[in-house]
Amino acid sequence: MALTDTKLRNLKPGEKAYQEADEGGLFVEVMPGGAKVWRLRYRLAGKQEKVTLGDYPTYSLGEARTWRDDCKALAGRGLSPMALKRGDPVPDDAAPAVKEMAQAFVRNWCMKAVERAKVKEAADTVEAFARRWYAEIVEPANSNPRNVKRVLDKDVIPAIGAKQVADVTVTDILAITDKIKNRGADQMALQTRNVLKRLFAYAIAREKTTFNPAAAIEAKFIAQAKSRDVALTPEEIGRLLRAIYQSSMKRAHKLALHLLILCMVRKSELIEAKWEEIDLDRAEWSIPGERMKKDKPHLVPLSRQVVAMFEELKGLASGSGWVFPSRGDLKQPIAKSTLNVAVRALEIEVRDFVIHDFRRTASTHLHEAGFNSDWIEKALAHETKGIRGVYNRAQYADQRREMLQWWADFVDSQIQDGRGKVIIGPFGKAYRAA
């Protein structure tokens, strides 16, 4: 059967090179490294010859077929396309029309092949491809992609920017992360590895390489997670929340754990929350300074999901002034240990963690997604010193609202995880209307 573009795109490399035929002697050879090379077999003076055009998709299926026809026309006139590509001269006794055909073949295929190879090589450097990835994927998808750009410009491009994407090795990635760790920035080394992992995943999707050298390095080999450094992976976030909603714990406690992930607040700030602090119409939660670690009031913009959860909790509170009233005394909030006990009772395959790690988990993924560090620090109610701290008093409310909505949507996608929506509850009118 003749080849099609769909079949060509879907050809995968094997342990050894293999061939897929088109028609008239044209075939593509799939190399173990992933390259797909156009070649042609033809007969000249009773002997078989083989000549190479170049890679697919640098040369399209249509171009390869035109090249095949030109090669066979030359062979029919007694000239060898293989010899012409090698640079051999046309015989002096060849007819003028044959000489003209040969010259056109050299111009159209041999000389242009060299030019195309140079352009392709330049386009497939890490720097060129990283710029393309940033412009096509990172910048449109993130509110503030400067963190990713900073990683590329500061550590990646100076180190491997001139290399071909397909030539980058695990050793190259480790050299970058080790240099960053030597600056005392272990977590930045891990973040850089994560950026490179996403970059090479895109390169594989664009058929620039078949191997992701950053994904081959486990995170623990770059920055060993201490107990206070645990951040859940996206898969662990989904696994944990599915386990929470499928457990037998009280509905209010399920919502509390979900809110801790989405709002990025401390446990005490959530379980001691009062309804007077929460404005569902404005989608804002104003935590007074006396309940904050730094004794400064803190504003939490609420995502659609969080507003809906608070609406449901309003009905579960039985008229109490506390968002999470104690079962034995509606005038008191739940005990500080209640949520810890509920988490310890879960039967899940997730690394050991404590509830405080929810904040670190959110921070890690927001940084990796390219959001501004100042917005993230403000969402965590961390104090920033100096000039940045003065500007920070504006609270970046609009930016944090957009960021926390992105985070809530991201967490939603992990709960679903392609398995159909887990029944986690109605979450009130705001969520249903979204």
Side-chain angles (χ1 to χ4, degrees), residues 279-410:
D279 188 332
L280 295 178
D281 292 330
R282 294 173 60 88
E284 292 178 349
W285 175 14
S286 300
I287 308 176
E290 59 267 22
R291 291 211 304 106
M292 296 297 300
K293 187 175 181 179
K294 298 294 183 180
D295 296 322
K296 293 181 179 179
H298 181 55
L299 179 70
V300 182
L302 306 181
S303 65
R304 295 189 305 273
Q305 291 89 330
V306 171
V307 168
M309 291 179 198
F310 276 128
E311 286 179 344
E312 181 178 349
L313 286 165
K314 189 83 169 178
L316 296 174
S318 302
S320 172
W322 300 96
V323 176
F324 297 98
S326 169
R327 182 172 58 180
D329 185 357
L330 295 181
K331 296 181 179 180
Q332 297 293 328
I334 59 174
K336 293 181 179 180
S337 61
T338 300
L339 298 182
N340 299 75
V341 172
V343 166
R344 285 198 294 268
L346 292 173
E347 295 182 1
I348 48 174
E349 295 180 2
V350 173
R351 295 170 297 161
D352 290 339
F353 68 96
V354 294
I355 285 178
H356 187 75
D357 293 325
F358 289 155
R359 284 161 54 84
R360 188 172 300 102
T361 294
S363 174
T364 297
H365 291 292
L366 289 172
H367 273 109
E368 186 174 339
F371 285 98
N372 187 296
S373 294
D374 287 340
W375 307 351
I376 298 169
E377 291 301 293
K378 189 62 184 177
L380 293 167
H382 287 167
E383 186 175 354
T384 305
K385 304 290 185 181
I387 295 175
R388 286 172 62 208
V390 172
Y391 182 71
N392 212 21
R393 288 171 191 159
Q395 295 192 344
Y396 306 109
D398 292 340
Q399 297 94 325
R400 287 193 291 125
R401 182 178 297 281
E402 183 179 350
M403 180 180 73
L404 289 174
Q405 184 59 61
W406 179 93
W407 174 236
D409 293 339
F410 176 85

Side-chain angles (χ1 to χ4, degrees), residues 91-126:
D92 292 337
D93 59 352
V98 174
K99 287 184 177 181
E100 187 176 343
M101 284 179 60
Q103 290 169 354
F105 179 82
V106 171
R107 284 195 308 270
N108 292 338
W109 297 111
C110 303
M111 294 177 64
K112 287 185 178 180
V114 175
E115 296 172 5
R116 284 203 188 188
K118 290 180 179 178
V119 171
K120 179 178 182 294
E121 183 175 355
D124 287 350
T125 63
V126 171

Side-chain angles (χ1 to χ4, degrees), residues 113-359:
V114 175
E115 296 172 5
R116 284 203 188 188
K118 290 180 179 178
V119 171
K120 179 178 182 294
E121 183 175 355
D124 287 350
T125 63
V126 171
E127 178 172 8
F129 190 77
R131 303 291 186 205
R132 173 184 173 185
W133 171 66
Y134 180 83
E136 291 182 359
I137 304 299
V138 178
E139 198 166 27
N142 294 287
S143 300
N144 194 308
R146 288 178 297 175
N147 289 338
V148 175
K149 189 173 188 300
R150 187 161 53 243
V151 165
L152 295 174
D153 290 342
K154 184 175 182 180
D155 293 302
V156 174
I157 290 172
I160 59 172
K163 294 197 72 166
Q164 295 292 293
V165 171
D167 293 339
V168 177
T169 65
V170 172
T171 301
D172 292 326
I173 306 300
L174 286 172
I176 293 171
T177 56
D178 286 347
K179 185 176 180 180
I180 298 171
K181 287 168 66 177
N182 288 337
R183 302 199 302 254
D186 285 21
Q187 293 306 309
M188 179 54 68
L190 183 57
Q191 182 180 340
T192 301
R193 172 263 189 186
N194 291 340
V195 168
L196 284 165
K197 181 180 175 182
R198 291 160 56 201
L199 169 64
F200 280 95
Y202 184 61
I204 290 172
R206 303 302 300 180
E207 297 187 323
K208 300 299 182 183
T209 185
T210 59
F211 175 62
N212 190 326
I217 307 169
E218 291 188 39
K220 65 182 180 182
F221 296 137
I222 295 176
Q224 285 287 344
K226 304 172 185 176
S227 60
R228 65 176 185 278
D229 290 335
V230 170
L232 300 176
T233 66
E235 294 77 12
E236 288 173 331
I237 293 172
R239 201 178 308 142
L240 174 61
L241 282 168
R242 286 192 295 272
I244 287 171
Y245 280 108
Q246 291 166 351
S247 74
S248 60
M249 73 174 69
K250 290 179 62 176
R251 176 70 179 179
H253 298 167
K254 296 177 182 179
L255 296 174
L257 292 168
H258 199 163
L259 286 169
L260 281 174
I261 295 178
L262 299 188
C263 294
M264 300 172 66
V265 295
R266 298 175 180 87
K267 182 182 66 174
S268 62
E269 294 159 5
L270 179 70
I271 64 176
E272 295 175 4
K274 296 181 178 180
W275 288 112
E276 63 190 34
E277 302 169 2
I278 297 169
D279 188 332
L280 295 178
D281 292 330
R282 294 173 60 88
E284 292 178 349
W285 175 14
S286 300
I287 308 176
E290 59 267 22
R291 291 211 304 106
M292 296 297 300
K293 187 175 181 179
K294 298 294 183 180
D295 296 322
K296 293 181 179 179
H298 181 55
L299 179 70
V300 182
L302 306 181
S303 65
R304 295 189 305 273
Q305 291 89 330
V306 171
V307 168
M309 291 179 198
F310 276 128
E311 286 179 344
E312 181 178 349
L313 286 165
K314 189 83 169 178
L316 296 174
S318 302
S320 172
W322 300 96
V323 176
F324 297 98
S326 169
R327 182 172 58 180
D329 185 357
L330 295 181
K331 296 181 179 180
Q332 297 293 328
I334 59 174
K336 293 181 179 180
S337 61
T338 300
L339 298 182
N340 299 75
V341 172
V343 166
R344 285 198 294 268
L346 292 173
E347 295 182 1
I348 48 174
E349 295 180 2
V350 173
R351 295 170 297 161
D352 290 339
F353 68 96
V354 294
I355 285 178
H356 187 75
D357 293 325
F358 289 155
R359 284 161 54 84

Side-chain angles (χ1 to χ4, degrees), residues 40-44 47-51 80-83:
L40 175 69
R41 292 190 185 93
Y42 58 94
R43 299 193 72 82
L44 182 68
K47 295 182 179 180
Q48 181 173 280
E49 289 188 355
K50 183 169 69 173
V51 66
S80 168
M82 182 177 66

